[in-house]
Amino acid sequence: MTATPSTSTPPTPAQTVELAPSYLLPFAILLLSVPVVLLQRWVGLTTAVFAVFLIVQAATIRLRFTATTLEVYRSGQQIRNFPYAEWSNWRVFWPPVPILFYFREVKSIHFLPMLFDPSALRACLEQRCPVK
């Protein structure tokens, strides 16, 4: 069962929640690259290409929170899963304008650009994997 977070009733930990994509960060970077192109052409073009890459990622990557794991899907096919039992910490960097999601497992560290609904991400994390 897939549930989408709503403002009226929060999902229970037993429900699977798929986060909606957010294009805010990629489009902000793309918009920022326009004046940079006028000052430093190659830096601006590189920034624009990176923004387009993030737009494609936001369109194809999905995070699903299940009862026990965070699952990562690309174009509907699961590519990784991260059991909450192996997490030691997580954080959303720069909460006023979230740009980066970090989480640490027992054996590795992961950084993801904020390509998902930040409020739904935070709600799922707080509910399923409270910070220790």
Side-chain angles (χ1 to χ4, degrees):
M1 173 167 79
T2 300
T4 50
S6 68
T7 55
S8 59
T9 58
T12 65
Q15 289 177 310
T16 297
V17 177
E18 182 174 307
L19 298 183
S22 172
Y23 295 94
L24 184 62
L25 179 64
F27 282 124
I29 292 171
L30 186 61
L31 188 63
L32 182 67
S33 71
V34 173
V36 175
V37 166
L38 301 174
L39 299 172
Q40 291 285 332
R41 178 166 291 174
W42 290 110
V43 174
L45 290 174
T46 302
T47 305
V49 168
F50 178 64
V52 171
F53 168 76
L54 289 178
I55 291 168
V56 170
Q57 292 301 305
T60 59
I61 301 291
R62 295 291 174 267
L63 295 184
R64 287 187 188 156
F65 285 87
T66 68
T68 58
T69 62
L70 168 64
E71 300 175 347
V72 181
Y73 289 81
R74 179 182 297 130
S75 300
Q77 185 173 9
Q78 185 178 5
I79 56 174
R80 291 282 310 263
N81 68 32
F82 302 97
Y84 306 131
E86 296 180 10
W87 290 34
S88 61
N89 195 13
W90 63 266
R91 186 171 176 195
V92 174
F93 286 101
W94 206 26
V97 181
I99 58 170
L100 193 63
F101 165 50
Y102 150 85
F103 69 97
R104 180 181 174 96
E105 290 185 291
V106 175
K107 297 180 181 178
S108 60
I109 297 173
H110 306 278
F111 291 94
L112 297 166
M114 191 56 68
L115 303 176
F116 315 99
D117 177 12
S119 59
L121 174 65
R122 181 176 291 284
C124 286
L125 290 168
E126 288 172 350
Q127 182 182 56
R128 296 159 198 266
C129 192
V131 176
K132 299 175 185 176

